[in-house]
Amino acid sequence: MTAPMTHAEAGAPDLAARVRHLTKTYGTGDALVTALDDVTLDVVAGEFTAVMGPSGSGKSTLMHCCAALDTADSGQVFIGDQEITGLKDKALTRLRRDEIGFVFQSFNLVPTLTAQENITLPLAIAGRSADREWYDTVIATVGLGDRLSHRPNQLSGGQQQRVAVARALASRPRIVFADEPTGNLDSHSGAEVLELLRRSVDDHGQTVVMVTHDPVAAAYTDRVVFLADGHVVEDLRAPTREQVLEVMNRMAEPAAGDTP
Protein backbone atom coordinates (compact mmCIF):
# COMPACT_ATOMS: atom_id res chain seq x y z
CA MET A 1 0.00 0.00 0.00
CA THR A 2 1.04 3.59 -0.61
CA ALA A 3 2.58 5.34 2.41
CA PRO A 4 1.20 8.78 3.38
CA MET A 5 3.02 11.69 1.79
CA THR A 6 5.20 13.65 4.20
CA HIS A 7 6.44 17.23 4.01
CA ALA A 8 9.93 16.32 2.87
CA GLU A 9 8.77 13.78 0.32
CA ALA A 10 6.35 16.27 -1.19
CA GLY A 11 9.13 18.75 -1.97
CA ALA A 12 8.29 20.97 1.00
CA PRO A 13 4.97 22.47 -0.15
CA ASP A 14 3.12 24.93 2.04
CA LEU A 15 1.24 23.01 4.70
CA ALA A 16 -2.09 24.02 6.19
CA ALA A 17 -1.92 21.35 8.89
CA ARG A 18 0.47 18.71 10.22
CA VAL A 19 -0.21 15.71 12.40
CA ARG A 20 2.67 13.96 14.12
CA HIS A 21 2.41 10.57 15.91
CA LEU A 22 -1.16 11.25 17.01
CA THR A 23 -2.72 8.67 19.35
CA LYS A 24 -6.21 8.85 20.80
CA THR A 25 -7.97 6.24 22.94
CA TYR A 26 -11.39 5.98 24.52
CA GLY A 27 -12.42 3.91 27.52
CA THR A 28 -10.29 1.79 29.85
CA GLY A 29 -9.45 -1.84 30.50
CA ASP A 30 -11.37 -4.31 28.36
CA ALA A 31 -13.40 -1.41 26.93
CA LEU A 32 -10.30 0.45 25.67
CA VAL A 33 -10.62 1.52 22.02
CA THR A 34 -7.71 2.99 20.09
CA ALA A 35 -9.27 5.47 17.67
CA LEU A 36 -5.95 6.82 16.35
CA ASP A 37 -2.71 4.85 16.54
CA ASP A 38 0.48 6.87 15.88
CA VAL A 39 -0.94 8.80 12.89
CA THR A 40 1.39 11.12 10.96
CA LEU A 41 -0.03 13.18 8.10
CA ASP A 42 0.53 16.42 6.18
CA VAL A 43 -2.29 18.51 4.71
CA VAL A 44 -1.05 20.58 1.78
CA ALA A 45 -2.33 24.15 1.57
CA GLY A 46 -4.63 24.94 -1.34
CA GLU A 47 -5.77 21.34 -1.80
CA PHE A 48 -9.03 19.47 -1.32
CA THR A 49 -8.37 16.36 0.79
CA ALA A 50 -10.83 13.61 1.65
CA VAL A 51 -10.50 11.31 4.65
CA MET A 52 -12.22 7.94 4.24
CA GLY A 53 -12.47 4.64 6.04
CA PRO A 54 -14.96 2.20 7.48
CA SER A 55 -17.00 2.98 10.58
CA GLY A 56 -14.67 3.07 13.57
CA SER A 57 -11.56 3.69 11.47
CA GLY A 58 -10.77 6.97 13.25
CA LYS A 59 -11.59 9.43 10.47
CA SER A 60 -13.95 11.62 12.50
CA THR A 61 -11.63 11.50 15.51
CA LEU A 62 -8.75 12.64 13.30
CA MET A 63 -10.79 15.57 12.00
CA HIS A 64 -11.94 16.55 15.49
CA CYS A 65 -8.37 16.51 16.81
CA CYS A 66 -7.12 18.55 13.85
CA ALA A 67 -9.96 21.04 14.23
CA ALA A 68 -9.30 21.52 17.96
CA LEU A 69 -12.68 20.00 18.83
CA ASP A 70 -11.04 17.09 20.68
CA THR A 71 -7.67 16.41 22.27
CA ALA A 72 -5.36 13.48 21.64
CA ASP A 73 -3.60 11.37 24.25
CA SER A 74 -0.21 11.99 22.65
CA GLY A 75 1.34 13.45 19.52
CA GLN A 76 1.17 16.89 17.93
CA VAL A 77 -1.19 18.83 15.69
CA PHE A 78 -0.12 22.01 13.90
CA ILE A 79 -2.39 24.47 12.10
CA GLY A 80 0.05 26.38 9.94
CA ASP A 81 3.06 26.86 12.19
CA GLN A 82 0.99 26.92 15.39
CA GLU A 83 1.05 23.79 17.51
CA ILE A 84 -2.45 23.46 18.95
CA THR A 85 -1.84 20.54 21.29
CA GLY A 86 -1.55 21.97 24.76
CA LEU A 87 -3.09 25.37 24.00
CA LYS A 88 -5.28 26.84 26.73
CA ASP A 89 -9.02 27.25 26.18
CA LYS A 90 -8.86 30.94 25.29
CA ALA A 91 -6.10 30.39 22.73
CA LEU A 92 -7.98 27.42 21.25
CA THR A 93 -11.14 29.49 20.93
CA ARG A 94 -9.21 32.22 19.14
CA LEU A 95 -7.57 29.68 16.82
CA ARG A 96 -10.90 28.03 15.93
CA ARG A 97 -12.40 31.46 15.28
CA ASP A 98 -9.58 32.89 13.17
CA GLU A 99 -7.89 29.93 11.48
CA ILE A 100 -10.53 27.21 11.05
CA GLY A 101 -13.85 26.96 9.25
CA PHE A 102 -16.41 24.19 9.83
CA VAL A 103 -19.09 22.62 7.67
CA PHE A 104 -21.26 20.01 9.39
CA GLN A 105 -23.59 17.35 8.01
CA SER A 106 -26.52 18.86 9.90
CA PHE A 107 -25.82 22.45 8.68
CA ASN A 108 -25.85 23.89 12.27
CA LEU A 109 -27.57 27.12 11.27
CA VAL A 110 -29.36 29.34 13.79
CA PRO A 111 -33.05 29.06 12.83
CA THR A 112 -34.03 32.57 13.96
CA LEU A 113 -31.33 34.29 11.89
CA THR A 114 -31.38 35.07 8.17
CA ALA A 115 -28.91 33.49 5.79
CA GLN A 116 -26.82 36.67 5.85
CA GLU A 117 -26.84 36.79 9.65
CA ASN A 118 -25.82 33.13 9.84
CA ILE A 119 -22.94 33.72 7.42
CA THR A 120 -21.57 36.68 9.38
CA LEU A 121 -22.34 35.31 12.87
CA PRO A 122 -18.81 34.02 13.67
CA LEU A 123 -17.35 37.39 12.64
CA ALA A 124 -19.93 39.23 14.74
CA ILE A 125 -19.12 37.08 17.78
CA ALA A 126 -15.43 37.89 17.26
CA GLY A 127 -16.24 41.60 17.07
CA ARG A 128 -15.07 41.81 13.46
CA SER A 129 -16.81 43.09 10.36
CA ALA A 130 -16.69 41.19 7.11
CA ASP A 131 -14.21 42.23 4.46
CA ARG A 132 -16.73 43.56 1.93
CA GLU A 133 -14.84 42.49 -1.19
CA TRP A 134 -14.26 38.98 0.14
CA TYR A 135 -17.82 38.70 1.45
CA ASP A 136 -19.19 39.63 -1.99
CA THR A 137 -16.87 37.05 -3.57
CA VAL A 138 -18.10 34.35 -1.18
CA ILE A 139 -21.77 35.18 -1.80
CA ALA A 140 -21.20 35.11 -5.57
CA THR A 141 -19.34 31.81 -5.29
CA VAL A 142 -22.12 30.10 -3.32
CA GLY A 143 -24.86 31.67 -5.43
CA LEU A 144 -26.98 33.00 -2.56
CA GLY A 145 -27.42 36.65 -3.51
CA ASP A 146 -31.22 36.33 -3.73
CA ARG A 147 -31.59 34.24 -0.54
CA LEU A 148 -29.74 36.35 2.03
CA SER A 149 -32.92 37.58 3.76
CA HIS A 150 -34.39 34.06 4.07
CA ARG A 151 -34.31 32.05 7.28
CA PRO A 152 -33.18 28.40 7.23
CA ASN A 153 -36.73 27.02 7.17
CA GLN A 154 -37.30 28.97 3.96
CA LEU A 155 -34.32 27.33 2.25
CA SER A 156 -33.81 23.88 0.76
CA GLY A 157 -31.29 21.52 2.30
CA GLY A 158 -28.80 22.31 -0.44
CA GLN A 159 -29.25 26.05 0.09
CA GLN A 160 -28.80 25.65 3.84
CA GLN A 161 -25.54 23.80 3.29
CA ARG A 162 -24.38 26.53 0.91
CA VAL A 163 -25.07 29.02 3.70
CA ALA A 164 -22.96 26.84 6.00
CA VAL A 165 -20.13 26.77 3.44
CA ALA A 166 -20.32 30.56 3.06
CA ARG A 167 -20.17 30.92 6.85
CA ALA A 168 -17.04 28.73 6.92
CA LEU A 169 -15.37 30.77 4.17
CA ALA A 170 -16.39 34.26 5.35
CA SER A 171 -13.49 34.72 7.75
CA ARG A 172 -10.92 33.45 5.19
CA PRO A 173 -9.72 30.63 7.45
CA ARG A 174 -6.47 28.80 6.89
CA ILE A 175 -8.35 25.51 6.62
CA VAL A 176 -11.97 24.35 6.34
CA PHE A 177 -13.04 21.03 7.84
CA ALA A 178 -16.18 19.47 6.35
CA ASP A 179 -17.74 16.50 8.17
CA GLU A 180 -19.94 14.50 5.75
CA PRO A 181 -21.16 17.77 4.17
CA THR A 182 -23.40 15.97 1.65
CA GLY A 183 -24.72 13.34 4.05
CA ASN A 184 -28.16 14.94 4.43
CA LEU A 185 -28.53 16.02 0.81
CA ASP A 186 -29.93 14.45 -2.34
CA SER A 187 -27.47 13.71 -5.13
CA HIS A 188 -28.13 16.95 -7.03
CA SER A 189 -27.77 19.21 -3.98
CA GLY A 190 -24.75 17.20 -2.84
CA ALA A 191 -23.05 17.72 -6.18
CA GLU A 192 -23.69 21.47 -5.93
CA VAL A 193 -22.02 21.62 -2.51
CA LEU A 194 -19.05 19.54 -3.68
CA GLU A 195 -18.60 21.75 -6.74
CA LEU A 196 -18.74 24.77 -4.43
CA LEU A 197 -15.99 23.35 -2.20
CA ARG A 198 -14.00 22.45 -5.30
CA ARG A 199 -14.29 26.04 -6.62
CA SER A 200 -13.25 27.47 -3.27
CA VAL A 201 -9.99 25.52 -3.65
CA ASP A 202 -9.43 26.13 -7.37
CA ASP A 203 -10.49 29.78 -7.55
CA HIS A 204 -9.59 31.09 -4.09
CA GLY A 205 -6.79 28.82 -2.84
CA GLN A 206 -8.82 27.52 0.10
CA THR A 207 -7.69 24.37 1.91
CA VAL A 208 -10.51 21.88 2.55
CA VAL A 209 -10.42 18.59 4.46
CA MET A 210 -13.58 16.52 4.14
CA VAL A 211 -14.61 13.34 5.96
CA THR A 212 -16.82 11.27 3.69
CA HIS A 213 -17.92 7.71 3.03
CA ASP A 214 -19.02 8.49 -0.54
CA PRO A 215 -16.64 7.58 -3.42
CA VAL A 216 -18.46 10.03 -5.68
CA ALA A 217 -17.72 12.86 -3.23
CA ALA A 218 -14.12 11.70 -2.87
CA ALA A 219 -13.64 11.94 -6.64
CA TYR A 220 -14.04 15.74 -6.37
CA THR A 221 -10.88 15.98 -4.28
CA ASP A 222 -7.15 16.17 -5.00
CA ARG A 223 -6.26 13.44 -2.55
CA VAL A 224 -7.90 10.72 -0.48
CA VAL A 225 -6.38 9.49 2.78
CA PHE A 226 -7.75 6.13 3.90
CA LEU A 227 -7.83 5.09 7.56
CA ALA A 228 -8.40 1.64 9.05
CA ASP A 229 -8.18 0.71 12.73
CA GLY A 230 -6.64 4.08 13.57
CA HIS A 231 -3.89 3.86 10.95
CA VAL A 232 -3.34 5.62 7.62
CA VAL A 233 -3.31 2.66 5.22
CA GLU A 234 -3.44 4.30 1.80
CA ASP A 235 -2.92 7.70 0.19
CA LEU A 236 -4.42 8.25 -3.25
CA ARG A 237 -3.85 11.34 -5.40
CA ALA A 238 -6.08 12.56 -8.25
CA PRO A 239 -8.68 9.96 -7.27
CA THR A 240 -11.42 8.63 -9.50
CA ARG A 241 -14.61 7.05 -8.21
CA GLU A 242 -13.44 3.67 -9.50
CA GLN A 243 -10.06 3.94 -7.76
CA VAL A 244 -11.73 4.90 -4.48
CA LEU A 245 -14.15 1.98 -4.76
CA GLU A 246 -11.26 -0.37 -5.46
CA VAL A 247 -9.47 0.67 -2.28
CA MET A 248 -12.67 0.52 -0.23
CA ASN A 249 -13.46 -2.96 -1.50
CA ARG A 250 -9.94 -4.09 -0.68
CA MET A 251 -10.25 -2.66 2.82
CA ALA A 252 -13.56 -4.48 3.29
CA GLU A 253 -11.84 -7.84 2.80
CA PRO A 254 -9.10 -7.91 5.45
CA ALA A 255 -9.18 -11.68 5.85
CA ALA A 256 -8.42 -12.24 2.18
CA GLY A 257 -5.76 -9.58 2.27
CA ASP A 258 -4.09 -11.15 5.27
CA THR A 259 -3.86 -14.59 3.72
CA PRO A 260 -0.26 -15.42 2.74
Side-chain angles (χ1 to χ4, degrees), residues 19-24 37-41 72-76:
V19 174
R20 293 292 178 266
H21 306 293
L22 206 65
T23 296
K24 173 69 173 179
D37 190 358
D38 196 33
V39 171
T40 290
L41 182 70
D73 298 344
S74 61
Q76 298 171 291

Side-chain angles (χ1 to χ4, degrees), residues 103 105 107 109 142-144 147 152 155-166 181-182 184-186 188-194 196:
V103 183
Q105 179 176 342
F107 316 145
L109 302 180
V142 300
L144 287 168
R147 293 289 186 270
L155 302 173
S156 69
Q159 290 168 339
Q160 290 184 64
Q161 194 61 301
R162 281 191 274 155
V163 171
V165 172
T182 62
N184 283 340
L185 303 178
D186 60 45
H188 176 73
S189 297
E192 287 186 341
V193 169
L194 290 165
L196 168 57

Side-chain angles (χ1 to χ4, degrees), residues 37-225:
D37 190 358
D38 196 33
V39 171
T40 290
L41 182 70
D42 289 342
V43 175
V44 178
E47 286 193 350
F48 192 176
T49 300
V51 181
M52 302 189 76
S55 178
S57 62
K59 57 186 184 295
S60 292
T61 301
L62 176 62
M63 170 176 280
H64 291 160
C65 288
C66 288
L69 298 175
D70 200 355
T71 55
D73 298 344
S74 61
Q76 298 171 291
V77 176
F78 296 83
I79 299 296
D81 293 326
Q82 172 70 62
E83 183 179 359
I84 70 172
T85 37
L87 284 181
K88 302 297 185 184
D89 287 347
K90 186 175 293 187
L92 278 175
T93 298
R94 186 164 54 246
L95 177 126
R96 284 192 292 261
R97 183 189 69 202
D98 297 339
E99 301 285 331
I100 297 172
F102 302 98
V103 183
F104 300 98
Q105 179 176 342
S106 56
F107 316 145
N108 282 21
L109 302 180
V110 179
T112 56
L113 300 182
T114 65
Q116 180 171 347
E117 290 166 339
N118 268 286
I119 292 167
T120 58
L121 180 61
L123 289 167
I125 291 173
R128 295 161 52 196
S129 58
D131 178 285
R132 175 50 59 178
E133 183 178 354
W134 176 246
Y135 174 81
D136 290 343
T137 298
V138 168
I139 298 306
T141 300
V142 300
L144 287 168
D146 60 346
R147 293 289 186 270
L148 292 177
S149 63
H150 290 60
R151 288 186 170 81
N153 66 359
Q154 299 171 306
L155 302 173
S156 69
Q159 290 168 339
Q160 290 184 64
Q161 194 61 301
R162 281 191 274 155
V163 171
V165 172
R167 179 182 59 192
L169 295 174
S171 62
R172 304 196 82 161
R174 182 182 299 272
I175 188 167
V176 169
F177 292 102
D179 192 359
E180 299 278 8
T182 62
N184 283 340
L185 303 178
D186 60 45
S187 58
H188 176 73
S189 297
E192 287 186 341
V193 169
L194 290 165
E195 288 165 2
L196 168 57
L197 291 171
R198 181 72 258 175
R199 287 201 306 276
S200 76
V201 173
D202 293 340
D203 297 346
H204 306 301
Q206 185 62 60
T207 305
V208 178
V209 177
M210 172 179 69
V211 166
T212 184
H213 67 278
D214 182 1
V216 174
Y220 280 82
T221 70
D222 300 300
R223 174 191 185 197
V224 184
V225 177

